[in-house]
C-alpha cells in the first residue's frame, strides 16, 4: 500500500476509487495516515484485523520447524528466503501456498508442500514453531494472527508488522533484509528464525493469550460496532 513506486497500473486505478468512498475502515493507523496525507476527506477509522481464535487448533508443543504460509510470489520474497535458509542449512522451513514465482526453488531444508485449504491451515499450523513472513508489501496480514492463535512465534518484515506490539515472541526485520547481500544480513535471517524456534517451547501459552486479548473477534467486534454507529450518525 505505502510503496507507491511499486504500484502497477491496475492498482493505481483501483486506488483512486478510495477517494470517492464516503467512509473507509483502515486496517492500521499507518494506512489511515497514508490516505489522509494523500487527500482523503471522508470518514475514516481504524479497525485491526481479527480472528476467531476458537477455530484454530492449538497444541502445547511445536515441531521445531518454521513455516512460510501464503501465495508464493516475488513481492513476498519467498525465493530469497528459501535460498538463504538452504545455504545456511541449519533450520527447516516448509512453504505452503500457490506457486506463482518460477524462480522459487526447493532445497535440502526448504520444501514446498503445495496448497492447504483453510481447514488444513487451522488444523496444521500448530504443528510448527515459527511463522516467517518477510514481505515488502503487506498491510495487516491475517496469517500472522492465525499463526499466533496456533501458538507460533513470529518473524516478520516491517511491512507485515502492523498492529503488533513489542513482545518476546515477535521479531520484526527490515523489509530489505533478504535483498541485502552482505554476509551479516544473510546471517541475521536464519539466526533470528532459529532463536524464535528455540523460544517457542516456552512462549506458546503466552502467544495464544496475546492474540486472544488483542485480536479475537469476540473482543474487537465492540470497536467495530462503535465505528458503524459513528458513521451512521454522521450520515443520518
Amino acid at each position: 500500500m505505502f510503496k507507491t513506486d511499486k504500484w502497477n497500473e491496475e492498482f493505481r486505478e483501483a486506488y483512486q476509487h478510495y477517494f470517492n468512498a464516503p467512509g473507509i475502515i483502515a486496517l492500521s493507523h499507518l494506512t489511515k495516515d497514508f490516505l489522509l496525507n494523500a487527500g482523503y476527506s471522508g470518514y475514516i477509522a481504524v479497525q485491526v484485523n481479527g480472528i476467531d481464535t476458537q477455530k484454530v487448533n492449538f497444541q502445547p508443543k511445536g515441531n521445531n520447524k518454521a513455516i512460510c504460509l501464503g501465495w508464493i510470489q516475488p513481492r513476498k520474497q519467498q525465493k530469497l528466503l528459501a535460498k538463504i535458509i538452504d545455504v545456511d542449512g541449519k533450520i527447516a522451513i516448509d512453504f505452503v501456498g500457490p506457486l506463482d514465482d518460477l524462480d522459487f526453488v526447493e532445497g535440502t531444508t526448504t520444501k514446498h508442500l503445495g496448497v492447504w485449504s483453510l481447514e488444513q491451515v487451522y488444523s496444521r499450523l500448530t504443528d510448527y514453531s515459527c511463522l516467517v513472513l518477510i514481505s515488502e508489501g503487506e498491510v495487516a496480514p491475517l496469517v500472522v494472527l492465525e499463526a499466533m492463535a496456533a501458538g507460533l512465534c513470529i518473524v516478520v518484515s516491517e511491512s507485515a508488522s502492523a498492529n503488533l506490539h513489542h513482545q518476546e515472541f515477535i521479531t520484526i526485520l527490515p523489509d530489505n533484509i533478504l535483498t541485502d547481500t552482505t554476509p551479516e544480513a544473510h546471517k541475521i535471517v536464519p539466526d533470528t528464525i532459529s532463536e524464535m524456534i528455540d523460544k517457542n517451547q516456552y512462549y506458546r501459552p503466552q502467544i495464544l493469550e496475546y492474540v486472544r486479548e488483542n485480536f479475537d473477534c469476540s473482543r474487537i467486534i465492540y470497536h467495530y460496532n462503535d465505528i458503524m454507529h459513528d458513521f451512521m450518525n454522521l450520515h443520518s
Side-chain angles (χ1 to χ4, degrees), residues 17-90:
H17 293 287
Y18 282 111
F19 294 90
N20 299 322
I24 293 176
I25 297 177
L27 289 177
S28 73
H29 286 283
L30 283 173
T31 306
K32 176 183 176 181
D33 293 343
F34 180 82
L35 290 166
L36 290 175
N37 290 334
Y40 180 73
S41 58
Y43 174 84
I44 188 166
V46 176
Q47 171 66 64
V48 300
N49 218 343
I51 185 171
D52 183 350
T53 59
Q54 296 297 322
K55 291 184 177 181
V56 183
N57 182 25
F58 173 85
Q59 298 298 324
K61 188 175 181 180
N63 59 7
N64 295 321
K65 292 175 65 176
I67 184 170
C68 187
L69 176 63
W71 196 358
I72 299 174
Q73 53 186 175
R75 75 175 172 86
K76 292 180 180 287
Q77 306 186 104
Q78 291 100 329
K79 66 180 179 183
L80 301 176
L81 174 63
K83 183 181 295 184
I84 290 172
I85 294 302
D86 206 52
V87 168
D88 182 78
K90 295 178 182 178

Side-chain angles (χ1 to χ4, degrees), residues 47-193:
Q47 171 66 64
V48 300
N49 218 343
I51 185 171
D52 183 350
T53 59
Q54 296 297 322
K55 291 184 177 181
V56 183
N57 182 25
F58 173 85
Q59 298 298 324
K61 188 175 181 180
N63 59 7
N64 295 321
K65 292 175 65 176
I67 184 170
C68 187
L69 176 63
W71 196 358
I72 299 174
Q73 53 186 175
R75 75 175 172 86
K76 292 180 180 287
Q77 306 186 104
Q78 291 100 329
K79 66 180 179 183
L80 301 176
L81 174 63
K83 183 181 295 184
I84 290 172
I85 294 302
D86 206 52
V87 168
D88 182 78
K90 295 178 182 178
I91 55 178
I93 295 188
D94 288 339
F95 292 80
V96 175
L99 184 56
D100 192 27
D101 187 346
L102 298 178
D103 294 326
F104 176 86
V105 178
E106 288 185 311
T108 305
T109 64
T110 53
K111 301 298 180 185
H112 179 228
L113 303 186
V115 180
W116 288 354
S117 66
L118 183 60
E119 183 180 41
Q120 289 172 318
V121 169
Y122 282 7
S123 173
R124 297 177 182 178
L125 255 182
T126 195
D127 294 338
Y128 292 84
S129 298
C130 179
L131 175 87
V132 184
L133 177 57
I134 306 178
S135 170
E136 58 179 10
E138 299 288 338
V139 177
L142 181 59
V143 68
V144 172
L145 306 186
E146 293 170 337
M148 288 193 292
L152 280 66
C153 288
I154 304 297
V155 176
V156 293
S157 57
E158 290 181 81
S159 286
S161 66
N163 305 321
L164 298 180
H165 307 84
H166 176 73
Q167 299 289 336
E168 287 294 324
F169 44 82
I170 298 172
T171 298
I172 300 172
L173 297 176
D175 287 355
N176 67 344
I177 193 70
L178 295 175
T179 55
D180 188 333
T181 58
T182 63
E184 293 80 9
H186 282 195
K187 190 174 186 300
I188 287 172
V189 175
D191 285 356
T192 300
I193 297 171

